[in-house]
Amino acid sequence: MKIIMLGAPGAGKGTQAKMIASKYGIPHISTGDIFRANIKNGTELGAKAKQYMDKGELVPDELVVDLIMDRFKEDDAKNGYVLDGFPRTIPQAEALDKALSAAGEDIDFAINVEVPDENIINRMSGRRACVGCGATYHIKYNAPKVEGICDTCGKELILRDDDKPETVKNRLEVYHNQTQPLIDYYEKKGKLKEVDGTVDMNDVFNAIVDILGA
Ligand code: ADP
Ligand code: ADP
Ligand code: ZN
């Protein structure tokens, strides 16, 4: 099964993608996570990506597309994947289509998690990320057992630099200009499914399972 998660930053794509990955036994591929791992490890790619990420802008398509094509070659991606944060532009979606159709494949579903802009700042300012394993929490809606500490690995939880309100505003604008057109793109391909992302995360997941099949 090949699934794309669409939605604004903070809509809950990552949260749902992790739940999908664990239920259906496919890898969760997040371009944001891959970039953050590269930044942490001090790679050249990380240094390049950071310049854009810090400003809330998109990393150039060529960097992202090469990276994701390499990721698809890994063994665990043979039976599908759930993509979180890719594609984010029409050229990225076209590059994905081209690569898949060359292999006689296609994606199965593009799931749009709908959350209005008014809710997004609240979601992002409360998001906390683990510096160790990348797990995501929310101080109100998905709080860790001990404040500031990851339930899974015990490391520290931080507010991502790009989750500060100044940067979130820019990310939302970038989303509307460059990523939202993908909703139409996948609608035209007959792959689009929409879910209400404002309800409890377990209810969002139930709606997704209804689409994917139990
Ligand atoms: P969120 O989950 O909040 O939407 P991500 O972790 O997906 O954020 O992305 C963080 C940042 O990484 C983005 O603001 C952007 O700078 C960069 N990024 C991630 N994926 C892509 C992509 N497919 N194309 C361009 N930039 C990307
Ligand atoms: P994205 O990957 O789309 O940027 P995340 O999955 O990281 O979004 O979610 C953003 C923040 O909102 C996180 O702190 C997460 O715990 C929280 N969150 C996710 N889904 C919900 C939901 N349905 N209701 C309330 N908070 C949520
Ligand atoms: Zn952790």
Side-chain angles (χ1 to χ4, degrees), residues 129-137 149-157:
C130 173
V131 297
C133 69
T136 304
Y137 298 85
I149 301 291
C150 179
D151 290 350
T152 317
C153 76
K155 296 245 163 70
E156 182 198 0
L157 303 179

Side-chain angles (χ1 to χ4, degrees), residues 20-207:
I20 295 170
S22 112
K23 179 171 170 71
Y24 296 94
I26 50 177
H28 164 214
I29 302 183
S30 155
T31 41
D33 285 351
I34 299 174
F35 286 133
R36 281 184 291 276
N38 274 274
I39 293 172
K40 196 170 152 193
N41 296 329
T43 70
E44 196 181 324
L45 174 69
K48 277 189 196 154
K50 188 173 190 306
Q51 294 171 13
Y52 300 93
M53 291 169 77
D54 282 348
K55 288 186 273 188
E57 286 166 13
L58 294 184
V59 177
D61 289 335
E62 12 355 317
L63 290 183
V64 188
V65 170
D66 284 352
L67 175 97
I68 202 93
M69 293 306 157
D70 281 346
R71 180 64 185 85
F72 289 159
K73 289 181 195 140
E74 285 176 38
D75 261 1
D76 65 343
K78 284 211 169 67
N79 297 320
Y81 34 74
V82 50
L83 297 180
D84 162 21
F86 180 91
R88 248 187 170 92
T89 64
I90 297 280
Q92 289 180 19
E94 289 171 346
L96 175 64
D97 272 346
K98 205 172 138 200
L100 287 176
S101 67
E105 296 171 1
D106 200 356
I107 67 136
D108 298 293
F109 301 103
I111 300 173
N112 183 35
V113 183
E114 283 182 287
V115 174
D117 285 9
E118 305 87 83
N119 303 18
I120 294 291
I121 302 266
N122 195 3
R123 287 266 179 108
M124 307 291 252
S125 57
R127 170 157 68 182
R128 295 293 180 274
C130 173
V131 297
C133 69
T136 304
Y137 298 85
H138 191 283
I139 52 172
K140 253 196 358 236
Y141 310 123
N142 183 23
K145 293 196 180 80
V146 181
E147 195 187 318
I149 301 291
C150 179
D151 290 350
T152 317
C153 76
K155 296 245 163 70
E156 182 198 0
L157 303 179
I158 56 155
L159 173 67
R160 267 165 53 181
D161 267 344
D162 64 341
D163 279 353
K164 296 183 176 147
E166 319 79 84
T167 320
V168 169
K169 271 197 197 138
N170 194 31
R171 289 168 67 194
L172 269 176
E173 209 175 297
V174 167
Y175 167 75
H176 289 300
N177 291 331
Q178 302 196 59
T179 309
Q180 208 171 17
L182 292 178
I183 295 174
D184 242 31
Y185 181 93
Y186 287 106
E187 165 97 84
K188 290 202 177 94
K189 279 172 61 81
K191 302 290 181 188
L192 186 72
K193 301 283 176 187
E194 310 215 58
V195 295
D196 178 1
T198 61
V199 298
D200 182 90
M201 44 189 90
N202 293 310
D203 294 328
V204 181
F205 187 58
N206 289 337

